[in-house]
Amino acid sequence: MNLIQHPELLDRLASSYALGTLRGGARRRFETLAREQAPVRAAALIWQSRLASLNELQPQAQPSPAVWTRIDNLVQGEKQSAAQQAVRAQAAAAAAEPAGLTGWLRSLTVWRTATAAGALATIAAVSVGIGMREELGGEIARLQTQLQSAPQIEYVAVLADDKAAASMLVTFDPKAKKLTLQRVGAYQEAGDRSLQLWALPPAGGPKSLGVLGSDKLLRLTAGESDVREVPTLAISLEPKGGVPSETGPTGPVLFKGTLIQKML
């Protein structure tokens, strides 16, 4: 199936991938498609960006003290039970076996009971994990509800260098008139230089869409007329503060990519 021709399915798979609920073979197949197809890779990056943004907006919260108390009580209870079983097993072995084998059997019993204690501790951890998984499921449902009301992204571009390494994810929300740029590569310009974003229309010269700051997440104001029918976006390295739009790029073009209008 060509995911690009099924935008709703692609969006669901990308959201599940970002949330971590897409697993096993399905996750590996999605990652393969993302490496081969830029729109699939862009969809995954968009959802990862959305989740990262939500995480920044959410206040830090510590688990309830009652949660830690339940975990501690459960683990301590299982440890005590395992220790009691180990003592009883060792006493029974010492009383039942011939004297010549006592030392060897005692050593064997210690190893067996230690293994049993480890198994019980694992069971306790799994039991706690089940309860925490239920809480996590509620948190994921809450995040999904928030994401459904997120801004509508209709344009997306993954800007890469000359080695095809993704360096900048660009999305555009025409309703809010916002271009959002997220650095996804390791490149960082020098302090006396600025990155500048350009629209490369099919006719006419490049048009500046704004000068970028050094933050990892950047936002610029733009109208839909600035990006509609623009096939390519590019980022050049310019003197600090950028250059006027009418001059066009004066420095090297570092990153370039196709601007895609999502099918709604």
Side-chain angles (χ1 to χ4, degrees):
M1 177 183 293
N2 188 345
L3 283 179
I4 300 175
Q5 297 178 356
H6 298 80
E8 292 184 0
L9 176 59
L10 173 57
D11 196 58
R12 289 199 299 270
L13 289 174
S15 65
S16 297
Y17 179 82
L19 285 167
T21 56
L22 188 68
R23 298 178 180 175
R27 188 175 185 87
R28 290 190 293 272
R29 287 192 294 272
F30 184 86
E31 290 174 341
T32 299
L33 288 173
R35 286 192 294 269
E36 297 172 350
Q37 301 180 25
V40 178
R41 183 164 64 250
L45 288 171
I46 287 171
W47 276 97
Q48 290 171 344
S49 176
R50 286 176 173 175
L51 288 175
S53 299
L54 283 176
N55 185 57
E56 292 175 359
L57 294 174
Q58 293 299 315
Q60 293 186 355
Q62 294 294 332
S64 168
V67 173
W68 294 115
T69 300
R70 291 200 301 271
I71 294 174
D72 186 62
N73 290 342
L74 182 57
V75 173
Q76 292 300 327
E78 294 296 347
K79 285 182 178 179
Q80 291 176 3
S81 177
Q84 291 170 355
Q85 290 182 13
V87 171
R88 287 197 295 268
Q90 187 171 357
E97 297 298 333
L101 299 176
T102 299
W104 181 82
L105 286 172
R106 285 179 178 174
S107 177
L108 178 60
T109 302
V110 168
W111 283 107
R112 284 178 174 173
T113 52
T115 302
L120 287 171
T122 301
I123 293 172
V126 170
S127 300
V128 172
I130 292 173
M132 296 183 70
R133 189 183 304 163
E134 293 176 352
E135 295 182 6
L136 179 59
E139 181 67 12
I140 289 176
R142 184 180 65 80
L143 284 173
Q144 288 175 329
T145 299
Q146 291 183 356
L147 289 170
Q148 289 174 357
S149 60
Q152 180 63 52
I153 295 173
E154 293 188 15
Y155 296 84
V156 61
V158 178
L159 308 189
D161 59 20
D162 56 0
K163 296 181 181 179
S167 298
M168 191 81 70
L169 170 67
V170 183
T171 60
F172 178 62
D173 177 4
K175 184 178 180 181
K177 297 183 178 180
K178 288 295 181 182
L179 273 167
T180 301
L181 298 91
Q182 181 176 356
R183 296 175 186 253
V184 293
Y187 180 85
Q188 186 64 53
E189 63 275 17
D192 61 345
R193 292 289 185 270
S194 292
L195 297 181
Q196 192 161 353
L197 178 66
W198 300 88
L200 306 181
K207 179 181 178 181
S208 175
L209 295 176
V211 179
L212 311 184
S214 59
D215 295 336
K216 191 173 183 64
L217 188 65
L218 309 161
R219 290 183 175 87
L220 301 173
T221 300
E224 189 169 7
S225 60
D226 295 325
V227 299
R228 187 190 297 118
E229 299 180 358
V230 172
T232 307
L233 296 179
I235 292 178
S236 64
L237 182 65
E238 304 294 347
K240 188 71 174 179
V243 296
S245 181
E246 55 270 16
T247 67
T250 62
V253 173
L254 301 180
F255 315 118
K256 184 185 294 186
T258 302
L259 181 64
I260 302 169
Q261 184 174 10
K262 294 178 60 181
M263 294 180 291
L264 302 178

